[in-house]
Amino acid sequence: MTELIRLLTRAQKLLRTASDDAMSRHGVRVGQNLVLEVLWETDGLTPGELASRLHVTTPTVVNTATRMESAGLLVRRRDPADGRLVRLYLTPKAQAARQPIEEARRRLAEHATATLTDDERRHMRSALEKIIKRMTESPPDLGDA
């Protein structure tokens, strides 16, 4: 079973490196593309709403938003109905990056799974979804390991 963890870790590192290379060509760091994907669908979310959709903490989104704001990818604006809230809006630069980033991610996914059959892709997706669900719903008790 430890071999499976090693393989998952190695695959994740290779995919992250390739993804970072593909995204950086468009002024986006790996991870920021996930924020963009959500905001492309629903612009103007609060950091908390975005964190909920991405299954991360609000401070993680706030830190990422700060970097993205510095890169000219988003702006923060006070909510007109509730001045206590801040909403995140994409800039024209981020909007223009949508098509090339989506295309780069599509090509990366095709490359990474090119040697798999359709059935293997379905099984891999199902297995990864089950692993994610299990680890999210029931974190391991590693004791004194």
Side-chain angles (χ1 to χ4, degrees):
M1 193 52 76
T2 58
E3 177 70 5
L4 178 62
I5 300 298
R6 187 187 69 73
L7 290 169
L8 285 169
T9 301
R10 179 73 175 132
Q12 184 272 339
K13 285 181 179 181
L14 289 167
L15 286 167
R16 183 177 177 91
T17 298
S19 184
D20 193 34
D21 181 52
M23 298 305 102
S24 66
R25 295 175 190 183
H26 307 289
V28 175
R29 299 293 308 192
V30 70
Q32 293 177 349
N33 59 296
L34 303 175
V35 170
L36 290 173
E37 287 174 10
V38 172
L39 292 176
W40 283 328
E41 296 306 316
T42 310
D43 203 10
L45 295 175
T46 66
E49 292 167 338
L50 188 54
S52 178
R53 292 185 190 198
L54 292 171
H55 306 286
V56 299
T57 65
T58 300
T60 297
V61 169
V62 170
N63 291 336
T64 300
T66 298
R67 289 188 293 276
M68 292 177 74
E69 189 172 33
S70 295
L73 295 168
L74 63 79
V75 294
R76 300 171 204 232
R77 292 190 204 127
R78 290 264 171 223
D79 185 302
D82 184 347
R84 296 171 297 174
L85 296 177
V86 171
R87 297 201 171 271
L88 306 174
Y89 293 93
L90 296 175
T91 64
K93 177 180 177 180
Q95 293 289 1
R98 182 176 187 166
Q99 189 279 328
I101 286 174
E102 287 177 345
E103 177 63 16
R105 288 180 58 81
R106 183 193 62 73
R107 285 195 321 266
L108 178 58
E110 284 179 358
H111 177 77
T113 62
T115 59
L116 302 179
T117 66
D118 288 343
D119 199 40
E120 287 172 323
R121 283 187 197 94
R122 280 191 298 277
H123 285 300
M124 182 174 65
R125 180 183 180 106
S126 174
L128 289 171
E129 287 171 347
K130 287 178 181 180
I131 291 169
I132 291 167
K133 182 176 182 184
R134 171 75 173 156
M135 296 302 290
T136 302
E137 293 176 353
S138 179
D141 178 9
L142 302 177
D144 294 330

